Amino acid sequence: MPLASELAAIRLGWEDGCLSAPLPEPVRERLTKRLDLLRSSSKPAAVEAIEEEIAKLMLGFPSTRGVPVIEVQLQVRKYAEDLLGVPLWAVKDACRDISRGSVPGLNPDFPPTSPRLRLVVNSYVSRVHVEAHEIKQVLHAPILRPADPAVWEAIRAGLVARSRELACLHDTPPKPAPTPEQLKAHYDNHGLQFEAKSKPAAGSTSQADT
């Protein structure tokens, strides 16, 4: 399953912001690597690199032909200054899609204004921020442990089975099934919590096993 689909499936199974079962270790590792990649992609681009992308974008519009070179250079510099602070990949993606006419609301015969281009670029950056936020929520979400020990054991067994499936997909040997004590210690090390959710019968005062 693609990582994005797996992340969406995990979030759909949330209850009160908690996970119903611990994340399989291969999934946790993949999410952690993806988060590191997203964080590293936020490095601001140099103004010279932005200018190069803007200049290439402007060359594709008929309305810019015949404009004096000095005027084009000043315009390119103004656009680049208004885009300072954003990563280069976002500028490239935005310019590519604008050049292809795939950005709704833009006239294909005229380049977008500087503020409009900044909005397009920001929309690309926002997607990365949203994904990073969702991954962090999943990685640090507490575990909502069922009150019934049998249900918890079934969840643990499913976790082990899923870990083995993912290990096979990534050509790594499956890990032995963790004991309940090892499982709790592992998630304690990650700063996670076990929150028991009990539904005692009428008149009963018993508490869930934590």
Side-chain angles (χ1 to χ4, degrees), residues 9-165:
I10 292 171
R11 288 174 59 81
L12 283 175
W14 279 20
E15 185 173 349
D16 298 327
C18 300
L19 293 171
S20 58
L23 291 173
E25 192 59 29
V27 174
R28 176 173 289 278
E29 291 176 0
R30 291 172 64 199
L31 288 174
T32 300
K33 290 180 180 179
R34 176 63 178 170
L35 182 58
D36 290 341
L37 176 63
L38 295 176
R39 286 170 171 167
S40 65
S41 70
S42 299
K43 180 181 178 181
V47 65
E48 294 80 10
I50 299 177
E51 286 181 349
E52 182 178 349
E53 298 304 318
I54 299 300
K56 289 190 293 185
L57 174 66
M58 294 300 182
L59 288 174
F61 289 95
S63 59
T64 62
R65 295 170 188 170
V67 178
V69 175
I70 185 62
E71 186 175 334
V72 173
Q73 291 176 338
L74 290 174
Q75 187 178 28
V76 168
R77 171 54 67 120
K78 177 64 170 62
Y79 274 66
E81 289 177 347
D82 289 344
L83 288 174
L84 286 177
V86 301
L88 183 59
W89 66 263
V91 178
K92 287 184 174 182
D93 287 358
C95 290
R96 176 201 63 205
D97 291 345
I98 292 171
S99 180
R100 293 176 178 176
S102 57
V103 178
L106 295 183
N107 190 325
D109 295 323
F110 296 90
T113 63
S114 179
R116 184 73 174 89
L117 179 58
R118 177 73 194 219
L119 288 175
V120 175
V121 173
N122 285 348
S123 69
Y124 288 76
V125 177
S126 295
R127 297 173 195 171
V128 171
H129 289 167
V130 169
E131 183 183 356
H133 176 70
E134 291 178 348
I135 291 177
K136 284 190 290 186
Q137 281 186 319
V138 169
L139 289 176
H140 297 288
I143 310 300
L144 185 64
R145 183 171 180 174
D148 188 344
V151 174
W152 174 248
E153 182 59 30
I155 292 175
R156 192 178 73 87
L159 169 66
V160 172
R162 180 59 177 157
S163 295
R164 288 174 176 168
E165 291 175 5

